Amino acid sequence: MGVQKKTRKFAQVKRIIGQRDARLKKNQDKGETEAKKKAKGNELVREIPQVSSSLFFQYNTALRPPYSILIDTNFLSHTVRNKLELLPSMMDCLYASCRPMITSCVMAELEKLGTKYRIALRIARDERWERLACDHKGVYADDCIVDRVQKSKIYIVATNDRDLKRRIRKIPGVPIMSVARGKYVIERLPDAPEK
């Protein structure tokens, strides 16, 4: 009979429990807290937001001439780029009298943008437009406009900003005006003339 060869066993180490093992006390506590969070997330929310009384389904009955139009920074810069006059172009789009309104947040945003937007700032400072004072902290114009529109649905929002348009489309009964193909276009206004 031959002698049996003895082979060495490599990497044979004592087994250690891993840091993420479920048997450790700290990991058991984490699992319990996560289970509680999931249970809270599954609870039904019994609160329904109040719908404006001026809405008839998606049709906003509070909108009638003279239209109040909230103007965004982006809309002003596109107006300058396309060499459009603000008030006559709005009246051509809506076939009605309009009241352009500029919030103090939009003015602050235009002032921050510097010399590149000085023509848009000069248009915004015109005395013919109505100025709305903001009572909140910060000067982020998009949040300001969305807040105003949610509180009272009497405005048409004039913007070319994609993110702001997406946020406003979630609010029922608020039309959006934007600059496209060298003129102003309106969406979601039921009485708007088709062109």
Side-chain angles (χ1 to χ4, degrees):
M1 289 196 185
V3 180
Q4 198 174 16
K5 284 189 178 180
K6 198 174 188 182
T7 56
R8 287 176 98 188
K9 293 183 179 177
F10 295 99
Q12 197 170 28
V13 198
K14 203 174 191 183
R15 293 250 175 196
I16 300 173
I17 293 177
Q19 289 293 320
R20 295 190 183 136
D21 198 312
R23 294 174 284 179
L24 289 174
K25 180 130 177 88
K26 64 177 183 179
N27 294 337
Q28 287 176 348
D29 294 341
K30 281 183 187 176
E32 288 173 8
T33 55
E34 286 176 10
K36 287 179 183 176
K37 285 180 184 176
K38 284 182 182 177
K40 283 183 182 178
N42 293 337
E43 291 177 5
L44 290 174
V45 178
R46 299 269 182 212
E47 186 179 318
I48 300 170
Q50 184 66 38
V51 179
S52 175
S53 61
S54 64
L55 286 180
F56 179 72
F57 296 107
Q58 292 288 318
Y59 185 87
N60 191 352
T61 56
L63 284 172
R64 55 176 60 108
Y67 294 113
S68 303
I69 301 172
L70 276 178
I71 298 173
D72 186 33
T73 314
N74 204 295
F75 184 81
L76 279 170
S77 66
H78 278 273
T79 300
V80 170
R81 194 176 303 147
N82 287 313
K83 296 178 180 153
L84 295 168
E85 284 191 52
L86 194 66
L87 193 60
S89 300
M90 283 182 180
M91 290 179 140
D92 289 345
C93 178
L94 295 170
Y95 294 140
S97 59
C98 307
R99 289 189 334 214
M101 298 180 169
I102 298 173
T103 62
S104 54
C105 290
V106 171
M107 289 299 290
E109 202 171 271
L110 275 169
E111 287 166 1
K112 276 184 186 175
L113 290 171
T115 57
K116 190 176 179 185
Y117 293 90
R118 68 179 178 274
I119 299 170
L121 183 61
R122 188 180 296 164
I123 291 170
R125 282 189 178 146
D126 196 334
E127 295 297 319
R128 293 177 290 174
W129 323 142
E130 212 170 303
R131 194 64 68 71
L132 298 174
C134 297
D135 54 350
H136 54 82
K137 292 180 181 177
V139 289
Y140 188 55
D142 293 4
D143 288 343
C144 174
I145 289 171
V146 169
D147 260 5
R148 267 188 199 280
V149 166
Q150 281 177 336
K151 285 177 188 169
S152 57
K153 293 179 172 57
I154 58 167
Y155 300 108
I156 295 173
V157 178
T159 183
N160 266 48
D161 188 5
R162 273 192 191 144
D163 295 332
L164 182 57
K165 277 184 178 180
R166 195 175 299 130
R167 287 172 68 181
I168 289 172
R169 281 188 191 114
K170 291 177 185 173
I171 306 168
V174 180
I176 302 168
M177 183 184 278
S178 58
V179 182
R181 299 180 299 277
K183 62 181 180 185
Y184 291 165
V185 291
I186 188 109
E187 66 179 73
R188 291 177 26 164
L189 184 67
D191 301 329
E194 299 286 328
K195 285 189 181 178

mmCIF file of all heavy atoms in Angstrom, residues 97-142:
data_model
loop_
_atom_site.group_PDB
_atom_site.id
_atom_site.type_symbol
_atom_site.label_atom_id
_atom_site.label_comp_id
_atom_site.label_asym_id
_atom_site.label_seq_id
_atom_site.Cartn_x
_atom_site.Cartn_y
_atom_site.Cartn_z
ATOM 1 N N SER A 97 -58.805 92.237 -23.804
ATOM 2 C CA SER A 97 -57.883 93.093 -23.061
ATOM 3 C C SER A 97 -57.153 92.270 -21.998
ATOM 4 O O SER A 97 -57.708 91.316 -21.444
ATOM 5 C CB SER A 97 -58.644 94.243 -22.417
ATOM 6 O OG SER A 97 -59.626 93.739 -21.554
ATOM 7 N N CYS A 98 -55.915 92.665 -21.735
ATOM 8 C CA CYS A 98 -55.064 91.912 -20.813
ATOM 9 C C CYS A 98 -54.420 92.856 -19.798
ATOM 10 O O CYS A 98 -54.183 94.017 -20.099
ATOM 11 C CB CYS A 98 -53.950 91.204 -21.571
ATOM 12 S SG CYS A 98 -54.517 90.198 -22.912
ATOM 13 N N ARG A 99 -54.118 92.297 -18.626
ATOM 14 C CA ARG A 99 -53.373 93.029 -17.604
ATOM 15 C C ARG A 99 -52.132 92.220 -17.256
ATOM 16 O O ARG A 99 -52.201 91.290 -16.450
ATOM 17 C CB ARG A 99 -54.219 93.214 -16.355
ATOM 18 C CG ARG A 99 -55.343 94.192 -16.525
ATOM 19 C CD ARG A 99 -56.013 94.489 -15.218
ATOM 20 N NE ARG A 99 -55.878 93.387 -14.251
ATOM 21 C CZ ARG A 99 -56.801 93.057 -13.374
ATOM 22 N NH1 ARG A 99 -57.914 93.719 -13.319
ATOM 23 N NH2 ARG A 99 -56.608 92.071 -12.540
ATOM 24 N N PRO A 100 -50.974 92.544 -17.864
ATOM 25 C CA PRO A 100 -49.739 91.830 -17.500
ATOM 26 C C PRO A 100 -49.344 92.153 -16.072
ATOM 27 O O PRO A 100 -49.397 93.309 -15.654
ATOM 28 C CB PRO A 100 -48.703 92.370 -18.489
ATOM 29 C CG PRO A 100 -49.493 92.976 -19.588
ATOM 30 C CD PRO A 100 -50.764 93.448 -18.984
ATOM 31 N N MET A 101 -48.969 91.115 -15.314
ATOM 32 C CA MET A 101 -48.583 91.295 -13.915
ATOM 33 C C MET A 101 -47.218 90.672 -13.688
ATOM 34 O O MET A 101 -46.961 89.559 -14.139
ATOM 35 C CB MET A 101 -49.606 90.629 -12.993
ATOM 36 C CG MET A 101 -50.972 91.213 -13.120
ATOM 37 S SD MET A 101 -52.095 90.400 -12.019
ATOM 38 C CE MET A 101 -53.493 91.470 -12.137
ATOM 39 N N ILE A 102 -46.367 91.403 -12.990
ATOM 40 C CA ILE A 102 -45.016 90.926 -12.715
ATOM 41 C C ILE A 102 -44.807 90.928 -11.206
ATOM 42 O O ILE A 102 -45.003 91.942 -10.544
ATOM 43 C CB ILE A 102 -43.978 91.815 -13.427
ATOM 44 C CG1 ILE A 102 -44.196 91.728 -14.935
ATOM 45 C CG2 ILE A 102 -42.565 91.394 -13.068
ATOM 46 C CD1 ILE A 102 -43.369 92.669 -15.748
ATOM 47 N N THR A 103 -44.400 89.771 -10.673
ATOM 48 C CA THR A 103 -44.161 89.664 -9.229
ATOM 49 C C THR A 103 -42.779 90.218 -8.890
ATOM 50 O O THR A 103 -41.913 90.328 -9.752
ATOM 51 C CB THR A 103 -44.247 88.200 -8.754
ATOM 52 O OG1 THR A 103 -43.231 87.449 -9.405
ATOM 53 C CG2 THR A 103 -45.599 87.596 -9.055
ATOM 54 N N SER A 104 -42.582 90.535 -7.630
ATOM 55 C CA SER A 104 -41.282 91.061 -7.205
ATOM 56 C C SER A 104 -40.189 89.999 -7.293
ATOM 57 O O SER A 104 -39.018 90.330 -7.477
ATOM 58 C CB SER A 104 -41.369 91.614 -5.783
ATOM 59 O OG SER A 104 -41.893 90.651 -4.918
ATOM 60 N N CYS A 105 -40.560 88.717 -7.230
ATOM 61 C CA CYS A 105 -39.589 87.625 -7.389
ATOM 62 C C CYS A 105 -39.028 87.604 -8.813
ATOM 63 O O CYS A 105 -37.835 87.399 -9.013
ATOM 64 C CB CYS A 105 -40.236 86.281 -7.091
ATOM 65 S SG CYS A 105 -40.618 86.036 -5.374
ATOM 66 N N VAL A 106 -39.907 87.813 -9.799
ATOM 67 C CA VAL A 106 -39.470 87.840 -11.195
ATOM 68 C C VAL A 106 -38.541 89.029 -11.419
ATOM 69 O O VAL A 106 -37.507 88.910 -12.104
ATOM 70 C CB VAL A 106 -40.690 87.888 -12.150
ATOM 71 C CG1 VAL A 106 -40.261 88.137 -13.578
ATOM 72 C CG2 VAL A 106 -41.472 86.589 -12.057
ATOM 73 N N MET A 107 -38.872 90.168 -10.830
ATOM 74 C CA MET A 107 -38.016 91.351 -10.950
ATOM 75 C C MET A 107 -36.638 91.087 -10.336
ATOM 76 O O MET A 107 -35.609 91.422 -10.926
ATOM 77 C CB MET A 107 -38.664 92.556 -10.269
ATOM 78 C CG MET A 107 -39.859 93.120 -10.985
ATOM 79 S SD MET A 107 -39.481 93.722 -12.627
ATOM 80 C CE MET A 107 -38.510 95.146 -12.238
ATOM 81 N N ALA A 108 -36.621 90.467 -9.164
ATOM 82 C CA ALA A 108 -35.346 90.156 -8.506
ATOM 83 C C ALA A 108 -34.522 89.179 -9.335
ATOM 84 O O ALA A 108 -33.295 89.321 -9.453
ATOM 85 C CB ALA A 108 -35.611 89.579 -7.120
ATOM 86 N N GLU A 109 -35.196 88.196 -9.934
ATOM 87 C CA GLU A 109 -34.508 87.211 -10.778
ATOM 88 C C GLU A 109 -33.899 87.887 -12.014
ATOM 89 O O GLU A 109 -32.779 87.588 -12.407
ATOM 90 C CB GLU A 109 -35.502 86.121 -11.196
ATOM 91 C CG GLU A 109 -34.855 84.828 -11.586
ATOM 92 C CD GLU A 109 -35.867 83.716 -11.782
ATOM 93 O OE1 GLU A 109 -36.177 83.021 -10.798
ATOM 94 O OE2 GLU A 109 -36.352 83.555 -12.916
ATOM 95 N N LEU A 110 -34.643 88.811 -12.616
ATOM 96 C CA LEU A 110 -34.125 89.552 -13.776
ATOM 97 C C LEU A 110 -32.926 90.424 -13.400
ATOM 98 O O LEU A 110 -31.973 90.530 -14.173
ATOM 99 C CB LEU A 110 -35.229 90.426 -14.378
ATOM 100 C CG LEU A 110 -36.166 89.756 -15.368
ATOM 101 C CD1 LEU A 110 -37.350 90.650 -15.655
ATOM 102 C CD2 LEU A 110 -35.456 89.391 -16.648
ATOM 103 N N GLU A 111 -32.992 91.038 -12.225
ATOM 104 C CA GLU A 111 -31.873 91.865 -11.776
ATOM 105 C C GLU A 111 -30.633 91.029 -11.503
ATOM 106 O O GLU A 111 -29.517 91.464 -11.763
ATOM 107 C CB GLU A 111 -32.281 92.659 -10.526
ATOM 108 C CG GLU A 111 -33.244 93.783 -10.845
ATOM 109 C CD GLU A 111 -33.914 94.362 -9.611
ATOM 110 O OE1 GLU A 111 -33.614 93.902 -8.483
ATOM 111 O OE2 GLU A 111 -34.754 95.262 -9.785
ATOM 112 N N LYS A 112 -30.819 89.806 -10.994
ATOM 113 C CA LYS A 112 -29.690 88.911 -10.725
ATOM 114 C C LYS A 112 -29.009 88.455 -12.016
ATOM 115 O O LYS A 112 -27.808 88.206 -12.019
ATOM 116 C CB LYS A 112 -30.163 87.669 -9.967
ATOM 117 C CG LYS A 112 -30.274 87.847 -8.489
ATOM 118 C CD LYS A 112 -30.642 86.530 -7.861
ATOM 119 C CE LYS A 112 -30.911 86.678 -6.391
ATOM 120 N NZ LYS A 112 -31.379 85.423 -5.790
ATOM 121 N N LEU A 113 -29.784 88.313 -13.098
ATOM 122 C CA LEU A 113 -29.231 87.780 -14.346
ATOM 123 C C LEU A 113 -28.229 88.718 -15.006
ATOM 124 O O LEU A 113 -27.457 88.288 -15.852
ATOM 125 C CB LEU A 113 -30.363 87.428 -15.315
ATOM 126 C CG LEU A 113 -31.196 86.226 -14.896
ATOM 127 C CD1 LEU A 113 -32.409 86.087 -15.791
ATOM 128 C CD2 LEU A 113 -30.386 84.946 -14.925
ATOM 129 N N GLY A 114 -28.261 89.979 -14.678
ATOM 130 C CA GLY A 114 -27.225 90.901 -15.121
ATOM 131 C C GLY A 114 -27.489 91.563 -16.455
ATOM 132 O O GLY A 114 -28.631 91.697 -16.904
ATOM 133 N N THR A 115 -26.395 91.966 -17.112
ATOM 134 C CA THR A 115 -26.487 92.813 -18.309
ATOM 135 C C THR A 115 -27.078 92.090 -19.514
ATOM 136 O O THR A 115 -27.603 92.735 -20.417
ATOM 137 C CB THR A 115 -25.104 93.361 -18.691
ATOM 138 O OG1 THR A 115 -24.211 92.248 -18.896
ATOM 139 C CG2 THR A 115 -24.560 94.263 -17.602
ATOM 140 N N LYS A 116 -26.967 90.785 -19.554
ATOM 141 C CA LYS A 116 -27.489 90.037 -20.706
ATOM 142 C C LYS A 116 -29.005 90.213 -20.851
ATOM 143 O O LYS A 116 -29.541 90.203 -21.952
ATOM 144 C CB LYS A 116 -27.140 88.560 -20.550
ATOM 145 C CG LYS A 116 -27.408 87.733 -21.787
ATOM 146 C CD LYS A 116 -26.955 86.301 -21.593
ATOM 147 C CE LYS A 116 -27.258 85.480 -22.829
ATOM 148 N NZ LYS A 116 -26.942 84.067 -22.626
ATOM 149 N N TYR A 117 -29.696 90.390 -19.732
ATOM 150 C CA TYR A 117 -31.155 90.521 -19.734
ATOM 151 C C TYR A 117 -31.606 91.953 -19.429
ATOM 152 O O TYR A 117 -32.695 92.151 -18.927
ATOM 153 C CB TYR A 117 -31.757 89.543 -18.715
ATOM 154 C CG TYR A 117 -31.562 88.101 -19.106
ATOM 155 C CD1 TYR A 117 -30.434 87.394 -18.709
ATOM 156 C CD2 TYR A 117 -32.500 87.451 -19.889
ATOM 157 C CE1 TYR A 117 -30.256 86.071 -19.085
ATOM 158 C CE2 TYR A 117 -32.334 86.125 -20.262
ATOM 159 C CZ TYR A 117 -31.201 85.446 -19.852
ATOM 160 O OH TYR A 117 -31.023 84.145 -20.224
ATOM 161 N N ARG A 118 -30.786 92.943 -19.745
ATOM 162 C CA ARG A 118 -31.135 94.327 -19.398
ATOM 163 C C ARG A 118 -32.343 94.841 -20.177
ATOM 164 O O ARG A 118 -33.124 95.624 -19.661
ATOM 165 C CB ARG A 118 -29.933 95.245 -19.568
ATOM 166 C CG ARG A 118 -29.472 95.447 -20.980
ATOM 167 C CD ARG A 118 -28.277 96.405 -21.045
ATOM 168 N NE ARG A 118 -27.827 96.551 -22.401
ATOM 169 C CZ ARG A 118 -26.961 95.753 -23.002
ATOM 170 N NH1 ARG A 118 -26.462 94.717 -22.346
ATOM 171 N NH2 ARG A 118 -26.596 95.962 -24.252
ATOM 172 N N ILE A 119 -32.538 94.361 -21.426
ATOM 173 C CA ILE A 119 -33.701 94.796 -22.223
ATOM 174 C C ILE A 119 -34.983 94.210 -21.615
ATOM 175 O O ILE A 119 -35.993 94.909 -21.491
ATOM 176 C CB ILE A 119 -33.552 94.397 -23.698
ATOM 177 C CG1 ILE A 119 -32.299 95.064 -24.279
ATOM 178 C CG2 ILE A 119 -34.779 94.808 -24.499
ATOM 179 C CD1 ILE A 119 -31.909 94.554 -25.639
ATOM 180 N N ALA A 120 -34.912 92.935 -21.228
ATOM 181 C CA ALA A 120 -36.066 92.303 -20.573
ATOM 182 C C ALA A 120 -36.383 93.005 -19.258
ATOM 183 O O ALA A 120 -37.553 93.200 -18.919
ATOM 184 C CB ALA A 120 -35.790 90.826 -20.332
ATOM 185 N N LEU A 121 -35.349 93.418 -18.539
ATOM 186 C CA LEU A 121 -35.553 94.133 -17.280
ATOM 187 C C LEU A 121 -36.186 95.501 -17.531
ATOM 188 O O LEU A 121 -37.078 95.925 -16.790
ATOM 189 C CB LEU A 121 -34.214 94.297 -16.551
ATOM 190 C CG LEU A 121 -34.241 94.950 -15.178
ATOM 191 C CD1 LEU A 121 -35.088 94.134 -14.216
ATOM 192 C CD2 LEU A 121 -32.846 95.118 -14.638
ATOM 193 N N ARG A 122 -35.777 96.176 -18.592
ATOM 194 C CA ARG A 122 -36.359 97.470 -18.936
ATOM 195 C C ARG A 122 -37.843 97.307 -19.284
ATOM 196 O O ARG A 122 -38.678 98.134 -18.898
ATOM 197 C CB ARG A 122 -35.605 98.095 -20.111
ATOM 198 C CG ARG A 122 -36.038 99.525 -20.379
ATOM 199 C CD ARG A 122 -35.293 100.136 -21.521
ATOM 200 N NE ARG A 122 -33.862 100.250 -21.211
ATOM 201 C CZ ARG A 122 -32.931 100.467 -22.137
ATOM 202 N NH1 ARG A 122 -33.253 100.571 -23.408
ATOM 203 N NH2 ARG A 122 -31.670 100.585 -21.785
ATOM 204 N N ILE A 123 -38.177 96.235 -20.005
ATOM 205 C CA ILE A 123 -39.590 95.963 -20.343
ATOM 206 C C ILE A 123 -40.382 95.695 -19.058
ATOM 207 O O ILE A 123 -41.497 96.170 -18.893
ATOM 208 C CB ILE A 123 -39.698 94.772 -21.318
ATOM 209 C CG1 ILE A 123 -39.141 95.151 -22.690
ATOM 210 C CG2 ILE A 123 -41.138 94.304 -21.455
ATOM 211 C CD1 ILE A 123 -38.989 93.988 -23.638
ATOM 212 N N ALA A 124 -39.792 94.914 -18.144
ATOM 213 C CA ALA A 124 -40.488 94.563 -16.897
ATOM 214 C C ALA A 124 -40.708 95.771 -16.000
ATOM 215 O O ALA A 124 -41.691 95.827 -15.257
ATOM 216 C CB ALA A 124 -39.691 93.495 -16.153
ATOM 217 N N ARG A 125 -39.818 96.757 -16.069
ATOM 218 C CA ARG A 125 -39.947 97.948 -15.221
ATOM 219 C C ARG A 125 -40.943 98.961 -15.758
ATOM 220 O O ARG A 125 -41.170 99.988 -15.132
ATOM 221 C CB ARG A 125 -38.580 98.620 -15.083
ATOM 222 C CG ARG A 125 -37.682 97.920 -14.108
ATOM 223 C CD ARG A 125 -36.444 98.718 -13.838
ATOM 224 N NE ARG A 125 -35.618 98.058 -12.861
ATOM 225 C CZ ARG A 125 -34.303 98.093 -12.868
ATOM 226 N NH1 ARG A 125 -33.657 98.756 -13.807
ATOM 227 N NH2 ARG A 125 -33.622 97.465 -11.942
ATOM 228 N N ASP A 126 -41.544 98.684 -16.892
ATOM 229 C CA ASP A 126 -42.504 99.607 -17.498
ATOM 230 C C ASP A 126 -43.658 99.868 -16.530
ATOM 231 O O ASP A 126 -44.133 98.960 -15.844
ATOM 232 C CB ASP A 126 -43.035 98.995 -18.807
ATOM 233 C CG ASP A 126 -43.721 100.023 -19.686
ATOM 234 O OD1 ASP A 126 -44.220 101.024 -19.145
ATOM 235 O OD2 ASP A 126 -43.745 99.824 -20.908
ATOM 236 N N GLU A 127 -44.127 101.123 -16.503
ATOM 237 C CA GLU A 127 -45.181 101.526 -15.568
ATOM 238 C C GLU A 127 -46.556 100.960 -15.932
ATOM 239 O O GLU A 127 -47.464 100.955 -15.112
ATOM 240 C CB GLU A 127 -45.266 103.059 -15.503
ATOM 241 C CG GLU A 127 -44.012 103.720 -14.934
ATOM 242 C CD GLU A 127 -43.765 103.326 -13.487
ATOM 243 O OE1 GLU A 127 -44.731 103.254 -12.716
ATOM 244 O OE2 GLU A 127 -42.599 103.095 -13.136
ATOM 245 N N ARG A 128 -46.730 100.513 -17.170
ATOM 246 C CA ARG A 128 -48.054 100.022 -17.590
ATOM 247 C C ARG A 128 -48.410 98.678 -16.962
ATOM 248 O O ARG A 128 -49.579 98.334 -16.839
ATOM 249 C CB ARG A 128 -48.095 99.867 -19.122
ATOM 250 C CG ARG A 128 -48.013 101.188 -19.858
ATOM 251 C CD ARG A 128 -47.990 100.949 -21.341
ATOM 252 N NE ARG A 128 -46.716 100.333 -21.727
ATOM 253 C CZ ARG A 128 -46.450 99.909 -22.960
ATOM 254 N NH1 ARG A 128 -47.361 99.994 -23.902
ATOM 255 N NH2 ARG A 128 -45.280 99.386 -23.243
ATOM 256 N N TRP A 129 -47.408 97.885 -16.573
ATOM 257 C CA TRP A 129 -47.683 96.556 -16.014
ATOM 258 C C TRP A 129 -47.944 96.663 -14.519
ATOM 259 O O TRP A 129 -47.341 97.471 -13.826
ATOM 260 C CB TRP A 129 -46.538 95.585 -16.259
ATOM 261 C CG TRP A 129 -45.817 95.676 -17.559
ATOM 262 C CD1 TRP A 129 -44.484 95.510 -17.742
ATOM 263 C CD2 TRP A 129 -46.354 95.918 -18.862
ATOM 264 N NE1 TRP A 129 -44.161 95.654 -19.057
ATOM 265 C CE2 TRP A 129 -45.290 95.909 -19.770
ATOM 266 C CE3 TRP A 129 -47.627 96.161 -19.350
ATOM 267 C CZ2 TRP A 129 -45.462 96.130 -21.130
ATOM 268 C CZ3 TRP A 129 -47.795 96.381 -20.716
ATOM 269 C CH2 TRP A 129 -46.732 96.346 -21.580
ATOM 270 N N GLU A 130 -48.806 95.795 -14.067
ATOM 271 C CA GLU A 130 -49.143 95.775 -12.646
ATOM 272 C C GLU A 130 -48.047 95.041 -11.873
ATOM 273 O O GLU A 130 -47.545 94.013 -12.331
ATOM 274 C CB GLU A 130 -50.480 95.042 -12.465
ATOM 275 C CG GLU A 130 -51.289 95.556 -11.316
ATOM 276 C CD GLU A 130 -52.687 94.972 -11.334
ATOM 277 O OE1 GLU A 130 -53.390 95.142 -12.341
ATOM 278 O OE2 GLU A 130 -53.042 94.349 -10.332
ATOM 279 N N ARG A 131 -47.658 95.541 -10.722
ATOM 280 C CA ARG A 131 -46.617 94.935 -9.912
ATOM 281 C C ARG A 131 -47.254 94.252 -8.718
ATOM 282 O O ARG A 131 -48.075 94.844 -8.020
ATOM 283 C CB ARG A 131 -45.667 96.037 -9.455
ATOM 284 C CG ARG A 131 -44.352 95.609 -8.879
ATOM 285 C CD ARG A 131 -43.436 94.880 -9.822
ATOM 286 N NE ARG A 131 -42.885 95.652 -10.908
ATOM 287 C CZ ARG A 131 -41.970 96.583 -10.813
ATOM 288 N NH1 ARG A 131 -41.501 96.927 -9.639
ATOM 289 N NH2 ARG A 131 -41.499 97.181 -11.875
ATOM 290 N N LEU A 132 -46.894 92.975 -8.471
ATOM 291 C CA LEU A 132 -47.419 92.228 -7.329
ATOM 292 C C LEU A 132 -46.307 92.023 -6.306
ATOM 293 O O LEU A 132 -45.248 91.491 -6.640
ATOM 294 C CB LEU A 132 -47.953 90.863 -7.783
ATOM 295 C CG LEU A 132 -49.115 90.878 -8.778
ATOM 296 C CD1 LEU A 132 -49.419 89.467 -9.242
ATOM 297 C CD2 LEU A 132 -50.340 91.493 -8.157
ATOM 298 N N ALA A 133 -46.548 92.431 -5.070
ATOM 299 C CA ALA A 133 -45.552 92.269 -4.009
ATOM 300 C C ALA A 133 -45.640 90.869 -3.423
ATOM 301 O O ALA A 133 -46.730 90.320 -3.255
ATOM 302 C CB ALA A 133 -45.787 93.305 -2.928
ATOM 303 N N CYS A 134 -44.485 90.287 -3.158
ATOM 304 C CA CYS A 134 -44.435 88.940 -2.569
ATOM 305 C C CYS A 134 -44.132 89.064 -1.074
ATOM 306 O O CYS A 134 -43.310 89.881 -0.669
ATOM 307 C CB CYS A 134 -43.343 88.112 -3.236
ATOM 308 S SG CYS A 134 -43.644 87.854 -4.978
ATOM 309 N N ASP A 135 -44.772 88.224 -0.261
ATOM 310 C CA ASP A 135 -44.592 88.294 1.187
ATOM 311 C C ASP A 135 -43.830 87.087 1.738
ATOM 312 O O ASP A 135 -43.800 86.862 2.938
ATOM 313 C CB ASP A 135 -45.952 88.404 1.879
ATOM 314 C CG ASP A 135 -46.890 87.283 1.459
ATOM 315 O OD1 ASP A 135 -46.555 86.554 0.515
ATOM 316 O OD2 ASP A 135 -47.957 87.151 2.091
ATOM 317 N N HIS A 136 -43.201 86.304 0.872
ATOM 318 C CA HIS A 136 -42.492 85.102 1.320
ATOM 319 C C HIS A 136 -40.986 85.320 1.286
ATOM 320 O O HIS A 136 -40.498 86.271 0.693
ATOM 321 C CB HIS A 136 -42.865 83.897 0.452
ATOM 322 C CG HIS A 136 -42.653 84.132 -1.003
ATOM 323 N ND1 HIS A 136 -41.422 83.997 -1.614
ATOM 324 C CD2 HIS A 136 -43.503 84.539 -1.982
ATOM 325 C CE1 HIS A 136 -41.530 84.293 -2.891
ATOM 326 N NE2 HIS A 136 -42.783 84.631 -3.139
ATOM 327 N N LYS A 137 -40.242 84.392 1.897
ATOM 328 C CA LYS A 137 -38.779 84.481 1.903
ATOM 329 C C LYS A 137 -38.237 83.861 0.622
ATOM 330 O O LYS A 137 -38.845 82.961 0.048
ATOM 331 C CB LYS A 137 -38.206 83.739 3.114
ATOM 332 C CG LYS A 137 -38.544 84.413 4.427
ATOM 333 C CD LYS A 137 -37.971 83.648 5.582
ATOM 334 C CE LYS A 137 -38.319 84.309 6.895
ATOM 335 N NZ LYS A 137 -37.848 83.559 8.047
ATOM 336 N N GLY A 138 -37.072 84.327 0.194
ATOM 337 C CA GLY A 138 -36.458 83.792 -1.014
ATOM 338 C C GLY A 138 -37.012 84.460 -2.255
ATOM 339 O O GLY A 138 -38.051 85.121 -2.222
ATOM 340 N N VAL A 139 -36.299 84.291 -3.359
ATOM 341 C CA VAL A 139 -36.707 84.943 -4.602
ATOM 342 C C VAL A 139 -36.794 83.949 -5.756
ATOM 343 O O VAL A 139 -36.479 84.285 -6.884
ATOM 344 C CB VAL A 139 -35.743 86.103 -4.969
ATOM 345 C CG1 VAL A 139 -35.915 87.250 -4.024
ATOM 346 C CG2 VAL A 139 -34.297 85.631 -4.982
ATOM 347 N N TYR A 140 -37.213 82.705 -5.489
ATOM 348 C CA TYR A 140 -37.358 81.730 -6.567
ATOM 349 C C TYR A 140 -38.723 81.954 -7.215
ATOM 350 O O TYR A 140 -39.764 81.668 -6.628
ATOM 351 C CB TYR A 140 -37.210 80.305 -6.030
ATOM 352 C CG TYR A 140 -37.169 79.266 -7.118
ATOM 353 C CD1 TYR A 140 -36.235 79.342 -8.148
ATOM 354 C CD2 TYR A 140 -38.073 78.221 -7.127
ATOM 355 C CE1 TYR A 140 -36.198 78.401 -9.142
ATOM 356 C CE2 TYR A 140 -38.038 77.268 -8.119
ATOM 357 C CZ TYR A 140 -37.105 77.359 -9.123
ATOM 358 O OH TYR A 140 -37.075 76.420 -10.118
ATOM 359 N N ALA A 141 -38.707 82.478 -8.417
ATOM 360 C CA ALA A 141 -39.930 82.942 -9.078
ATOM 361 C C ALA A 141 -40.903 81.805 -9.390
ATOM 362 O O ALA A 141 -42.120 81.992 -9.311
ATOM 363 C CB ALA A 141 -39.569 83.687 -10.359
ATOM 364 N N ASP A 142 -40.405 80.626 -9.750
ATOM 365 C CA ASP A 142 -41.290 79.513 -10.116
ATOM 366 C C ASP A 142 -42.196 79.113 -8.957
ATOM 367 O O ASP A 142 -43.400 78.930 -9.123
ATOM 368 C CB ASP A 142 -40.473 78.312 -10.589
ATOM 369 C CG ASP A 142 -39.756 78.572 -11.908
ATOM 370 O OD1 ASP A 142 -39.842 79.715 -12.412
ATOM 371 O OD2 ASP A 142 -39.128 77.641 -12.440
#
